[in-house]
Amino acid sequence: MKFDTPATTNPIDQMKVVGKPTNRIEGPLKTTGTATYAYEHHDVAANQAYGYVVGAAIAKGRIASMNLADAQAAPGVIAIVTADNAGKLDKGNFNTAKLLGGPAIDHYHQAIALVVAESFEQARAAASLVRVEYSRSKGSYDLAAALDTAITPPTVFGTAADTSVGDFATAFAATPVQLDARYTTPDHTHAMMEPHASIAAWDGDRLTLWTSNQMIAWSVGDMAKTLGIAKENIRLVSPYIGGGFGGKLFVRTDAVLAALGARAAGRPVKVALPRPLMINNTTHRPATIQRIRIGAAADGKITAIGHESWSGDLPGGGPETAVAQTRLLYAGANRMTAMRLAVLDLPEGNAMRAPGEAPGLMALEIAMDEMAEKLGMDPVAFRVLNDTQVDPEKPERPFSQRRLNECLQTGAEKFGWSKRGKPGATRDGRWLVGMGVAAAFRNNLNAKSAARVRLDKSGTVTVETDMTDIGTGSYTIIAQTAAEMMGVPLDKVVVRLGDSSFPVSAGSGGQWGANSSTAGVYAACAKLRDAVVQRLGLASDAVFADGKVKAGKRSFALGEAAAGGELVAEDMMEYGDLAEKFQQSTFGAHFVEVGVDAMTGEIRVRRMLAVCAAGRILNPKAARSQVIGAMTMGAGSALMEELAVDKRFGFFVNHDLAGYEVPVHADIPHQDVIFLEESDPTTSPMKAKGVGELGICGVAAAVANAVHNATGVRVRNYPVTLDKLLDKLPDSV
Ligand code: MOS
């Protein structure tokens, strides 16, 4: 099915099942520990051996020598895979060959060997006996020191690294109220609960991988290329995923080395990345340095806005797209954005929840707060005044829907924004109290997505698609979609996900999963409805409701259509050019109240509210969970999260969950989420968009702005920690 004209009325609009706050259908499996995660597939292949990854102990250079003798002689060892014996690996689609380093070393903890043994403990013990001599070469590890060497990437995901409208420099120079400030965001790690893990089993030249992966079809293609085998000979299975956040968009070391280890050992091999290895071995959200210039007339209208961002990556990598939102968020006739990329020999920078916008808004939305202060305007009113209903870089392109102002105004009212005092003016005992606001913005993307649906004679509808559920609620919204389309209750729907033997879906990434994957299920169900109608000899306007199909006076139980054998329909939703004609984005406003201890500078989040406008909300309960999770992650990036770079030796020092701090329950006392009622007919027949990444966008800046309102201290370098406040707190204690 092709979606190339805005949706009209369709069965989803009944909203009998879709749009209802619905518990996760796989929730009981997860809460009882019976959902099988990658490392737990103990029974799928007999005689599993254990692989343990050896990571490089230098960041850049070469392996001078590697002595495996002691490791090979250790108890239980079956095989050791290194670059010397693995055979040639193709670089794959995502530099996959680099997942096994040697003799050249590209970054710290890059895998250089996999030791396979009878037990995990034996593999780990033997791995410690691998003797490696390195010759270290000089690397580049300090973004701030590498700015002079940064280049302009030719393109960034198919768009220009730089954009320009009007004459920014001249207009900025002429503005009466100006801001020119520099902000920094540190490297972040995904820190998902479930580590990267895979079990690989070969049957002749056919490989099956039970793994934890967001994008099944990408990863099948990548594994095939890397190993030089046909895609058809690889099956990937990933039914449950304990978080991904972008860290599992691609196959990683565990998958490639499990496959190589299983080949070498001649039996199935399972590999999990230990937590202390994950952070330097896998990808991360790269640090940024951002310069923002905003010029406004005395009435608060922005006339010039400029945003430059510097980030680093390994040779051949790409920049963090931190200027993305500034191209679309606020009006202003004269504008410029620019992305610069330096070579850094740290682990690979890549996507993490809302790549681009998340760190971009961390800077932009402090800048907007600073401008409002300079103008003597309320920060909500300043943003509302500078709203735009068209793409500010291409004014002929409207937003499909844009209710940012309503998000801001609704939030201000519900949060009690009018009680916000002047900076440093509100006290609650020893706490300095402040409120902050920030806009949330994230683009909506649609990706083609296919599904197969089966109807059996009991009236049960089974959906199969390689879509993944990374904790987001895919199982449930897909079940809701099929139930709505086929007119059956939820308990008559079975959803099977995360298997490459199912039709290729959009996968989970870029907050495109919810709308895209359900649209694919919609298309397949539309075909199944046709098949049902035909089988029963009904008119095409038959009604599917209450487990029945009715046309005129005739009514059948749905299962009767399958009395003579299962009915199967498969289709894919594909997209025309509506996303070019309309700018499809999601919007929100975050409000945060913090308390800052007047004596110690300790910062506590007291309340958070998000108001989101993101198309039809398919399952308000799951969507709320997505947003509160993202708000929590945003609070972490505001106050805690920072990979500390060892600039001498080039690695992230705090590479475990003891040293890399993320919020716990006690850090997040109260959160509310409001979804504006909306449906966007330009996105798909589901009229939905994504929320999973929107929820984190802007949160950190709202926290930082609240800290400023509480204390009068402006911190422009994340995370906002008490040491950055301590000598500047008002001495009113
Ligand atoms: Mo997302 S950062 O595309 O999983």
Side-chain angles (χ1 to χ4, degrees), residues 489-704:
L490 261 187
D491 62 10
K492 294 296 266 185
V493 181
V494 174
V495 180
R496 303 174 66 198
L497 301 182
D499 187 325
S500 62
S501 63
F502 300 150
V504 174
S505 74
S508 298
Q511 80 169 9
W512 64 62
N515 181 53
S516 303
S517 70
T518 54
V521 173
Y522 173 99
C525 287
K527 252 197 180 163
L528 184 61
R529 287 167 63 116
D530 290 347
V532 167
V533 163
Q534 212 175 21
R535 182 70 68 90
L536 296 173
L538 297 175
S540 61
D541 62 352
V543 175
F544 289 71
D546 309 319
K548 296 191 174 65
V549 201
K550 297 174 212 163
K553 290 202 178 82
R554 303 178 63 203
S555 171
F556 297 89
L558 182 62
E560 287 182 54
E566 191 185 49
L567 282 187
V568 183
E570 180 174 334
D571 201 8
M572 167 159 55
M573 185 64 80
E574 294 177 275
Y575 293 86
D577 64 355
L578 286 174
E580 280 97 72
K581 287 189 185 142
F582 298 95
Q583 174 58 41
Q584 298 173 351
S585 303
T586 61
F587 298 91
H590 288 286
F591 290 81
V592 174
E593 182 180 282
V594 300
V596 179
D597 188 302
M599 182 83 83
T600 67
E602 177 192 359
I603 304 162
R604 304 295 303 178
V605 174
R606 290 158 67 113
R607 294 190 293 138
M608 305 180 87
L609 167 67
V611 184
C612 302
R616 174 174 284 159
I617 300 302
L618 301 173
N619 178 346
K621 196 166 195 170
R624 177 180 178 277
S625 291
Q626 279 292 288
V627 174
I628 65 173
M631 290 157 78
T632 304
M633 210 165 174
S637 63
L639 299 174
M640 303 168 198
E641 292 189 49
E642 174 176 31
L643 286 170
V645 180
D646 185 315
K647 291 171 187 162
R648 304 159 307 165
F649 297 116
F651 68 99
F652 300 130
V653 179
N654 48 344
H655 51 85
D656 57 33
L657 289 179
Y660 186 83
E661 290 179 24
V662 296
V664 297
H665 279 87
D667 292 312
I668 310 290
H670 189 80
Q671 296 173 314
D672 275 326
V673 183
I674 296 169
F675 294 108
L676 297 186
E677 204 151 304
E678 201 168 88
S679 68
D680 188 335
T682 72
T683 61
S684 84
M686 303 303 295
K687 305 176 185 173
K689 296 177 182 173
V691 295
E693 297 189 325
L694 176 69
I696 193 176
C697 290
V699 177
V703 174

Side-chain angles (χ1 to χ4, degrees), residues 214 245-247 249 351-355 442 470 508-512 693:
Q214 299 175 225
F245 305 122
L249 287 167
M352 183 170 141
R353 202 174 200 170
R442 171 73 174 156
I470 60 175
S508 298
Q511 80 169 9
W512 64 62
E693 297 189 325

Side-chain angles (χ1 to χ4, degrees), residues 2 5 43 45 113 154 302 324 326 351 379 386 427 484 508 617 657 692 702 710:
K2 181 134 191 200
T5 52
D43 304 328
I302 294 173
T326 309
N386 287 292
R427 268 309 266 263
E484 195 80 79
S508 298
I617 300 302
L657 289 179

Side-chain angles (χ1 to χ4, degrees), residues 197-543:
S198 297
I199 299 172
W202 291 90
D203 175 8
D205 57 358
R206 298 178 65 85
L207 171 68
T208 306
L209 262 181
W210 293 266
T211 187
S212 183
N213 185 282
Q214 299 175 225
M215 299 293 296
I216 301 297
W218 285 10
S219 296
V220 167
D222 206 20
M223 281 299 288
K225 240 182 171 172
T226 306
L227 300 174
I229 59 179
K231 272 200 303 200
E232 294 66 36
N233 284 350
I234 298 184
R235 180 172 166 222
L236 225 87
V237 186
S238 183
Y240 301 108
I241 299 159
F245 305 122
K248 295 176 181 167
L249 287 167
F250 323 101
V251 290
R252 295 288 97 194
T253 305
D254 55 301
V256 172
L257 289 190
L260 295 174
R263 191 147 71 184
R267 54 193 264 202
V269 167
K270 65 199 303 186
V271 177
L273 298 185
R275 184 71 64 179
L277 189 78
M278 273 173 68
I279 291 174
N280 284 285
N281 177 270
T282 66
T283 59
H284 71 286
R285 188 204 298 285
T288 65
I289 295 175
Q290 303 179 48
R291 181 190 186 191
I292 296 181
R293 284 172 286 173
I294 304 175
D299 67 357
K301 278 253 165 63
I302 294 173
T303 53
I305 182 162
H307 192 162
E308 294 151 90
S309 174
W310 289 261
S311 60
D313 203 356
L314 287 163
E320 179 69 21
T321 55
V323 306
Q325 69 293 320
T326 309
R327 294 174 175 178
L328 289 159
L329 191 47
Y330 296 114
N334 303 283
R335 27 200 330 125
M336 66 84 71
T337 67
M339 287 180 260
R340 297 291 175 266
L341 176 65
V343 168
L344 289 182
D345 300 297
L346 292 169
E348 180 187 342
N350 210 310
M352 183 170 141
R353 202 174 200 170
E357 283 98 332
L361 284 160
M362 287 170 80
L364 178 65
E365 289 299 286
I366 296 184
M368 289 296 286
D369 202 64
E370 296 198 58
M371 269 306 279
E373 195 184 13
K374 282 174 186 275
L375 286 156
M377 284 182 75
D378 179 275
V380 170
F382 176 53
R383 287 176 174 85
V384 167
L385 179 70
N386 287 292
D387 184 49
T388 174
Q389 291 294 315
V390 297
D391 174 347
E393 292 189 347
K394 301 183 194 80
E396 68 284 1
R397 254 180 107 233
F399 283 92
S400 61
Q401 283 180 346
R402 176 172 162 129
R403 290 159 77 202
L404 174 61
N405 284 1
E406 230 177 300
C407 292
L408 288 159
Q409 287 158 338
T410 304
E413 194 200 311
K414 302 279 187 210
F415 200 67
W417 183 250
S418 61
K419 296 197 185 71
R420 175 176 172 266
K422 293 206 178 325
T426 308
R427 268 309 266 263
D428 175 9
R430 67 190 170 103
W431 298 100
L432 300 163
V433 178
M435 291 187 213
V437 66
F441 173 93
R442 171 73 174 156
N443 270 335
N444 179 72
L445 301 166
N446 299 322
K448 65 182 182 196
S449 198
R452 181 161 57 224
V453 283
R454 307 171 177 280
L455 173 67
D456 70 14
K457 61 178 188 295
S458 76
T460 299
V461 177
T462 300
V463 185
E464 295 170 337
T465 164
D466 82 359
M467 180 60 187
T468 49
D469 189 325
I470 60 175
T472 40
S474 308
Y475 277 103
T476 312
I477 58 174
I478 284 172
Q480 289 173 275
T481 303
E484 195 80 79
M485 287 298 287
M486 301 313 298
V488 296
L490 261 187
D491 62 10
K492 294 296 266 185
V493 181
V494 174
V495 180
R496 303 174 66 198
L497 301 182
D499 187 325
S500 62
S501 63
F502 300 150
V504 174
S505 74
S508 298
Q511 80 169 9
W512 64 62
N515 181 53
S516 303
S517 70
T518 54
V521 173
Y522 173 99
C525 287
K527 252 197 180 163
L528 184 61
R529 287 167 63 116
D530 290 347
V532 167
V533 163
Q534 212 175 21
R535 182 70 68 90
L536 296 173
L538 297 175
S540 61
D541 62 352
V543 175

